[in-house]
Amino acid sequence: MSSIERFQNPGLPEHVHRKADTDPKAAKRAEQQVAILFLLSALGTVGTIAAYIYIRSDLYVYIPILGSTNVQQMSLGIGLTVATLCIGLGAIQWAKKLMPDTEVIQERHELRSEDQDRADFVETFKERGGEAGIARRPLIKRTLGIALGVVGLSPLVLLRDLGPMPKKYFETTNWTAGTRLVLDPGGAYIKPSDLEVGAVAQVLPELPKGTERTLENVGKDAVLLIRLRPEDFNLDAERLSWTYNGIIAFSKICTHMGCAVALYEQQTHHLLCPCHQSTFDVTRAAKVVFGPAARPLPQLAISVDAGGYLVAKQGFTVPVGPSYWERNSSNG
Amino acid sequence: MNKFTQFRRRKIAGPILVVAALFTIGTAFGIASALPGAQPAPSSSTSPLVSQGKAIFLRGCSSCHGLNAEGGAIAPSLIGVGAAAVDFQVGTGRMPMADMSQQAMRKKPVYNADETAALAAYVASLAPGPASVTSENLNWQRDGNIAQGGQLFRTNCAMCHNFAGQGGALTNGKYAPSLMGVEPKYVYEALITGPQSMPKFSDTTITPQEKLSLIAWLQSANHEQNLGGASLGRVGPVTEGLLVWTLGLGLLIGVAVWLAMKAR
Amino acid sequence: MKRSEKAIGSVANYVDERTGAAKWLKKNLTKVFPDHWSFMLGEICLYSFIILLLSGTFLTFWFDPSQRDVVYNGAYSPLSGVSMSSAYASTLHISFDVRGGLLMRQIHHWAALIFMAAIVAHLFRVFFTGAFRKPREFNWIIGIGLLTFGIVEGFLGYSLPDDLLSGTGIRIAEAIIQALPVVGSYLAFFAFGGPFPGTAFIPRIFIVHVLILPGLFLALITIHLMLVWYQKHTQFPGPGRTEKNVVGYPLMPVYMAKAGGFFFIVFSVTAFLGAVASINPIWLYGPYTPGQISAGSQPDWYMGWLDGLVRMAPPLETHAFGHTISWNILLPGLILPGILFTGMALYPFIESWVTGDKREHHLLDRPRNAPNRTALGAMSIAFMIISLVNGGNDIIATHFHLTINGIMWFTRIGLFIVPPIVFIITKRICLSLQRADRDLVLHGKETGRLVMLPSGEMVEVHEQLTDAQKWTLTQHQQPDALPAPLPESATRGLKGKLRKRMNQAHAIQIPAPTLSELKELDHH
């Protein structure tokens, strides 16, 4: 075979006329369709305005699939839908049926500039650049480089006051030795007898008088209190001494990304984080048994004070919440 | 966040709190007298109701829970769980379980109200435990505060049952069921007995009045109307994303295909 | 001349004498645009962006971007007396007290979801048809930029109402910032104006959401469209279409009417969704506080794949020298997405490096004729879908009676196994389709009509394709027809060997039938 013959481009197919091009009746029909659509749109707008003015905002009606639906919000939306849909359909129908539908061929031009233009550009650039003399005056070139290089630093410095330095913020909470546990919400003190086996409670530290509890506090201080049968624990002696009569306390802030870990399964003694499904085993000091969290939830040592109320024996021994660069995680 | 602490700091809070306090004191009596606490084991363990319950127990429950309700390899002991637990588990059809699946689900009850009451009386006779409640005792319309209930729900319940009480996934195929349409007394009994995976919420950590608030909020969530149209299951953005890729983009591509089609 | 024509003439004269616009307009009003439904995907993006600007402006009239504490006493009684941020309270106000406010909120949110979905669909179209090839690489990169900023913009918008769901999202964003090595805790404090959640974050992201990013979008979209205009649109192959022409309809009037009409269609679909389907009902979520959370906390779908990756990440952290590096956050949250998006942005250059093809392309590829690229695209989609599935694993588990642990393990393993399988299968399908094309051209269409030959044998009558069909199926450039196969020098060294391997994989094709072959067959 000397040369392979390929199929050839047959060129644009012959234009086929639409009905509306040849039949005046069809054209008239198309025109009417478009006009009706535009009128419907106007009706939609009138309906929207009427709905805005006349329909009470507390009126509900049952609609299959949607359920008990607010009439005002629904009518406004449907009115708007009709108003816009019919303009759109009308315009497209007009274009399809009545505007010229002969396909047009337009030539493309190569984007690349002509060689002469390119050469001229390079020439001009060099010439103008030469006039500035940047190549001849290296001192200007270098100092300009320095100036431009550092000029961006001032805005960066100006942004410094966006926030304070973290300092020891991540390592501290409001829990200290003797802080009473209070219920969230409510703020009542808790006695060990208040919790039956299998019971949980969301608690916060009692703040010194006159201190307002902020969301920032809650984001670090939130603790989950759980009561198990003491024989269910599988803890070392130290961690066991941090519990009180089967009551164990963990930071509620996930060590992965800080969500509130509070899905406690009473039978398996597992705590689940709903964000990324890290699962912690309460009986083994919140050891991670599933999911992306890499560290157990910090355990809070608890005891009772003279009044018989639950208190923290000491603050958290490790920072609560997600990891950060400065965190020393060698001891958990 | 302790919203109440912040609330207390507001000027208008003073008068409101006084009124609220008076209201609370007033209603506390009502609730205290209306709500059953833990009741001691009936002294006569031979009352006819108890023996009827024992008979039912031996027939329908003892194969798993043991002849004396002491529990077995596959089922927990029922000593001390109280009548409330029986009323909840049997009354909602969860017990007896149909099969050994991860978790007992709500189904048509096997025993009628009288049989359930007899079973409850038998289990209550074994050891003291929370007594069952009746819907008439729970005057949540009067004593429950919907907004307070919402706060409590979001702190204590939403993590498992979802923000609107639609239920959610737990580990290994267990799940927190939907709370839609659950009768107030079963909500109350679940709170005090902690069925299956659910922890208990003691009366001191969530007071009886607060429990009624929770019920009031749940009832309001039950009748929450669809302000913005179809609720899409109230499970958050997953169904919204699904709808936008199917109906939303589907409609638009449909019109685009029509638009680009040659008219005849 | 009619009165109206005279009036138009004098206005046009006035403007042209001051701008000289007539020449430019004359040329551009007759500009030709090819017609295909898939070319409307980009327009959906543009129009939903306009809808976002309109509905978003409406919302700013009432929205108060502040984390100041207020006690709610509005129309929604289940929240009355609850302390919340002003941002949340004003969103409740828009939803309950402003007539049509909820509709606008829902239109805004649905438009955002459509915007992102249309961007992704548009990206698929451009990728699978090879529209990103020279000279359109810049526009590809701008498109990837728009996708990336779109994800950020969407996330910020979702965060603004300060409800329990979005607050959880911000909490996670903070954890990602905090996890950055060396600078993390400082950056987190600077971003939030102190500890999380603070009172500075929502006002700050508000200005990013309504000014900085929309401005950036406007600029990038303008450049994107100007380049499309200047380079002229690509077109699908077919009779009469060549690399040197554009076949279609002129801007005025056909394209104007169609595109203008389509804007209203996009608006109506968005309004329809806003009317009938509830989206982000924040009053049900409650206000944000760090101690609360809801089951099934998810981001919007365009972030779902990221959340899915984070969920399936291994529990890895490095603890050394008094420092902590959270691989369980950095790997799925930053490093992997970074690699994916960089790879995507560089793909036009990678492909042209592999094929050695430096020519301009204005005719689109039929996906089957670029099996390697199509398979790669399908593989990436499989990867994304698996991640996305894991992002919704809790909802899937409860609705299909599965376990989250099971889905997690399925996706953890599937993420590595399924995409390569999808690659192989897609490539095979592409080659099979090429083979089918070849059969069709050489042997014609099966008609189902049987005839008996004189010998008594029954055969089915095959109908020859038209010239136009034959051309469409055979016009594509195949590797052996490329002007410059890789030179020997380009295949040396490790990089060269890799290039050669990929080049060879790219060159696997079923030979397109030729007229000579057809003639030869006809002889028999």
Side-chain angles (χ1 to χ4, degrees), chain B residues 46-53:
Chain B
T46 51
S47 78
L49 197 61
V50 170
S51 42
Q52 187 202 346

Side-chain angles (χ1 to χ4, degrees), chain A residues 107-109 111, chain C residues 31 131-140 223-234 246 360-362:
Chain A
E107 293 306 312
R108 280 181 199 276
H109 306 283
L111 291 164
Chain C
K31 195 171 183 74
F132 55 81
R133 290 171 298 173
K134 187 181 170 189
R136 294 183 176 77
E137 300 97 326
F138 291 164
N139 245 4
W140 170 262
I223 301 172
H224 201 73
L225 292 180
M226 276 167 65
L227 277 170
V228 170
W229 194 278
Y230 185 65
Q231 295 175 332
K232 296 201 174 83
H233 208 284
T234 51
V246 197
E360 278 190 15
H361 291 277
H362 302 289

Side-chain angles (χ1 to χ4, degrees), chain B residues 98-170:
Chain B
D99 53 61
M100 283 296 138
S101 50
Q102 244 327 331
Q103 161 171 356
M105 54 183 114
R106 183 160 195 172
K107 55 184 189 290
K108 205 173 161 295
V110 173
Y111 297 111
N112 64 28
D114 293 338
E115 291 165 326
T116 309
L119 267 174
Y122 166 65
V123 170
S125 75
L126 301 172
S132 50
V133 294
T134 57
S135 291
E136 299 83 70
N137 282 351
L138 301 173
N139 206 338
W140 51 268
Q141 289 103 326
R142 190 192 64 190
D143 302 326
N145 172 331
I146 295 177
Q148 183 198 27
Q151 289 281 71
L152 287 160
F153 188 87
R154 285 189 292 277
T155 310
N156 292 289
C157 320
M159 62 280 226
C160 298
H161 291 284
N162 140 311
F163 55 86
Q166 303 290 330
L170 299 174

Side-chain angles (χ1 to χ4, degrees), chain A residues 1 3-13 52-55 57 60 66 69 72-74 76-78 80-89 91-92 94-96 99-112 159-167 169-170 184 202 212 215-220 222 252-253 255-263 272-279 288 290-295 321-330, chain C residues 30-32 99-100 102-103 106-107 135-136 168 171-172 175-176 178-182 185-186 189-190 193-198 204 230-234 238-250 253-254 257-258 261-262 264-265 267-268 271-272 274-276 288-295 307 310-311 313-317 319 322-326 328-329 360 362 393-394 404-405 408-409 412 441 467-468 470-471 474-476 513-516 518-519:
Chain A
M1 248 193 319
S3 70
I4 297 168
E5 221 181 325
R6 293 191 57 140
F7 288 97
Q8 291 306 307
N9 192 338
L12 266 191
Y52 189 89
I53 298 172
Y54 295 113
I55 299 181
S57 61
Y60 285 82
L66 304 188
T69 310
Q72 188 194 54
Q73 122 93 15
M74 176 91 161
L76 287 175
I78 294 296
L80 217 51
T81 307
V82 172
T84 46
L85 181 71
C86 291
I87 295 182
L89 293 178
I92 295 171
W94 182 12
K96 282 177 57 137
M99 291 182 190
D101 80 328
T102 325
E103 286 192 302
V104 181
I105 299 183
Q106 213 164 44
E107 293 306 312
R108 280 181 199 276
H109 306 283
E110 210 184 349
L111 291 164
R112 187 183 190 281
L159 284 176
R160 161 65 192 86
D161 278 348
L162 273 175
M165 287 293 174
K167 297 199 179 119
Y169 178 80
F170 292 108
D184 172 37
Q202 325 285 328
E212 195 175 344
L215 289 181
E216 294 77 47
N217 294 155
V218 181
K220 284 200 303 180
K252 200 177 165 183
I253 310 301
T255 55
H256 179 223
M257 286 174 127
C259 293
V261 190
L263 284 75
L272 172 70
C273 176
C275 285
H276 304 106
Q277 282 125 24
S278 299
T279 312
V288 182
F290 189 75
R295 288 180 288 104
S323 297
Y324 51 95
W325 170 251
E326 296 87 352
R327 191 183 194 283
N328 186 348
S329 307
S330 49
Chain C
T30 56
K31 195 171 183 74
V32 166
R99 275 179 288 178
L102 179 66
L103 179 69
Q106 300 205 134
I107 287 180
R136 294 183 176 77
T168 303
R171 170 73 258 205
I172 291 169
I176 294 179
Q178 199 179 307
L180 288 171
V182 187
S185 49
Y186 297 94
F189 258 58
F190 292 165
F196 171 87
R204 285 177 185 173
Y230 185 65
Q231 295 175 332
K232 296 201 174 83
H233 208 284
T234 51
R241 284 138 219 259
T242 68
E243 289 282 9
K244 300 237 175 288
N245 70 9
V246 197
V247 179
Y249 300 103
V254 179
K258 281 189 174 181
F262 199 57
F264 287 98
I265 300 282
F267 200 118
S268 74
F272 177 67
V276 301
Y288 179 65
T289 132
Q292 298 177 349
I293 194 143
S294 166
D307 205 45
V310 173
R311 285 178 185 195
L316 277 182
E317 273 187 0
H319 303 155
H323 291 287
T324 302
I325 304 174
S326 306
N328 51 358
I329 296 176
E360 278 190 15
H362 302 289
N393 60 3
D394 35 5
I404 48 177
N405 309 59
M408 190 87 95
W409 276 112
R412 274 177 174 175
V441 172
D467 284 349
K470 281 180 198 158
W471 166 248
T474 60
Q475 50 71 39
H476 55 284
T514 58
L515 189 57
S516 319
L518 187 62
K519 279 180 179 161

Side-chain angles (χ1 to χ4, degrees), chain A residues 132-146:
Chain A
I134 195 132
R136 271 182 293 119
R137 302 188 207 284
L139 186 63
I140 290 188
K141 192 164 84 180
R142 282 174 204 149
T143 47
L144 178 65
I146 293 173

Side-chain angles (χ1 to χ4, degrees), chain C residues 344-518:
Chain C
M344 197 152 63
L346 294 181
Y347 184 76
F349 309 101
I350 296 171
E351 191 185 289
S352 105
W353 177 71
V354 166
T355 57
D357 183 356
K358 310 285 179 209
R359 296 163 304 166
E360 278 190 15
H361 291 277
H362 302 289
L363 277 180
L364 296 172
D365 275 334
R366 298 168 73 225
R368 68 185 62 174
N369 290 333
N372 241 30
R373 181 202 297 146
T374 305
L376 190 68
M379 172 172 140
S380 314
I381 293 176
F383 181 92
M384 284 294 169
I385 289 178
I386 290 174
S387 320
L388 191 59
V389 161
N390 199 41
N393 60 3
D394 35 5
I395 304 294
I396 294 170
T398 46
H399 285 69
F400 297 98
H401 304 290
L402 300 167
T403 77
I404 48 177
N405 309 59
I407 300 173
M408 190 87 95
W409 276 112
F410 171 77
T411 54
R412 274 177 174 175
I413 297 167
L415 198 70
F416 294 96
I417 292 182
V418 176
I421 295 176
V422 168
F423 182 93
I424 293 166
I425 292 176
T426 313
K427 192 159 176 177
R428 304 244 143 209
I429 291 175
C430 285
L431 291 174
S432 300
L433 287 170
Q434 286 189 15
R435 223 170 269 130
D437 280 355
R438 185 182 159 84
D439 279 354
L440 213 53
V441 172
L442 293 180
H443 305 295
K445 242 185 295 195
E446 292 175 6
T447 57
R449 271 182 292 130
L450 292 177
V451 287
M452 199 192 282
L453 297 181
S455 59
E457 193 190 346
M458 302 287 283
V459 290
E460 191 183 359
V461 177
H462 283 232
E463 199 180 293
Q464 280 284 321
L465 298 184
T466 63
D467 284 349
Q469 286 167 323
K470 281 180 198 158
W471 166 248
T472 309
L473 298 185
T474 60
Q475 50 71 39
H476 55 284
Q477 297 271 349
Q478 290 200 296
D480 57 323
L482 283 177
L486 291 181
E488 192 63 36
S489 59
T491 59
R492 272 189 226 119
L494 195 64
K495 212 167 108 188
K497 285 213 179 84
L498 180 72
R499 188 176 179 192
K500 195 172 168 190
R501 275 298 299 274
M502 294 205 287
N503 183 278
Q504 282 165 347
H506 214 80
I508 297 173
Q509 298 268 6
I510 305 300
T514 58
L515 189 57
S516 319
E517 284 176 285
L518 187 62

Side-chain angles (χ1 to χ4, degrees), chain C residues 100-267:
Chain C
L102 179 66
L103 179 69
M104 279 297 171
R105 263 197 63 219
Q106 300 205 134
I107 287 180
H108 193 69
H109 205 132
W110 282 119
L113 294 196
I114 289 178
F115 180 61
M116 293 308 297
I119 288 181
V120 171
H122 180 51
L123 177 117
F124 289 167
R125 200 279 293 168
V126 169
F127 182 84
F128 286 114
T129 59
F132 55 81
R133 290 171 298 173
K134 187 181 170 189
R136 294 183 176 77
E137 300 97 326
F138 291 164
N139 245 4
W140 170 262
I141 291 176
I142 292 174
I144 301 295
L146 283 165
L147 170 65
T148 316
F149 292 129
I151 293 175
V152 176
E153 177 76 341
F155 175 72
L156 295 185
Y158 159 102
S159 300
L160 280 175
D162 202 22
D163 54 282
L164 187 52
L165 190 61
S166 71
T168 303
I170 300 179
R171 170 73 258 205
I172 291 169
E174 197 270 351
I176 294 179
I177 301 175
Q178 199 179 307
L180 288 171
V182 187
V183 294
S185 49
Y186 297 94
L187 280 188
F189 258 58
F190 292 165
F192 285 80
F196 171 87
T199 52
F201 194 65
I202 284 182
R204 285 177 185 173
I205 62 170
F206 178 70
I207 209 66
V208 177
H209 181 77
V210 303
L211 180 75
I212 297 176
L213 281 175
L216 199 61
F217 275 116
L218 272 177
L220 287 178
I221 289 174
T222 308
I223 301 172
H224 201 73
L225 292 180
M226 276 167 65
L227 277 170
V228 170
W229 194 278
Y230 185 65
Q231 295 175 332
K232 296 201 174 83
H233 208 284
T234 51
Q235 58 188 350
F236 276 100
R241 284 138 219 259
T242 68
E243 289 282 9
K244 300 237 175 288
N245 70 9
V246 197
V247 179
Y249 300 103
L251 176 69
M252 182 141 174
V254 179
Y255 192 74
M256 259 185 190
K258 281 189 174 181
F262 199 57
F263 165 74
F264 287 98
I265 300 282
V266 177
F267 200 118

Side-chain angles (χ1 to χ4, degrees), chain A residues 15-20 60 65-70 73 89 92-93 96-97 101 103 183-187 190 193-202 204 210-215 218 252 262-268 270 272 274 279, chain B residues 1-6 8-10 76 102 130 148 151-152 155-156 159-160 169-172 174 192-206 210 224-231 255 257-264:
Chain A
H15 181 243
V16 185
H17 283 297
R18 296 165 296 188
K19 239 181 171 175
Y60 285 82
I65 301 174
L66 304 188
S68 174
T69 310
N70 186 287
Q73 122 93 15
L89 293 178
I92 295 171
Q93 180 75 340
K96 282 177 57 137
K97 292 265 175 166
D101 80 328
E103 286 192 302
L183 282 175
D184 172 37
I190 310 158
S193 57
D194 292 346
L195 291 174
E196 305 146 49
V197 169
V200 294
Q202 325 285 328
L204 290 167
T211 325
E212 195 175 344
R213 196 184 300 285
T214 61
L215 289 181
V218 181
K252 200 177 165 183
L263 284 75
Y264 175 61
E265 296 177 7
Q266 190 235 128
Q267 286 172 332
T268 56
H270 284 173
L272 172 70
T279 312
Chain B
M1 151 122 233
N2 191 338
K3 300 284 182 191
F4 295 98
T5 318
Q6 288 200 352
R8 262 203 307 267
R9 314 200 127 254
R10 268 157 234 292
Q102 244 327 331
Q148 183 198 27
Q151 289 281 71
L152 287 160
T155 310
N156 292 289
M159 62 280 226
C160 298
L170 299 174
T171 64
N172 292 314
K174 296 187 286 300
I192 54 177
T193 61
Q196 305 187 30
S197 293
M198 179 165 162
K200 286 178 198 165
F201 294 91
S202 313
D203 275 356
T204 36
T205 53
I206 296 184
E210 288 175 334
E224 177 78 40
Q225 279 165 316
N226 294 343
L227 182 63
S231 68
V255 175
V257 168
W258 171 69
L259 178 149
M261 225 157 44
K262 238 173 149 39
R264 264 172 301 155

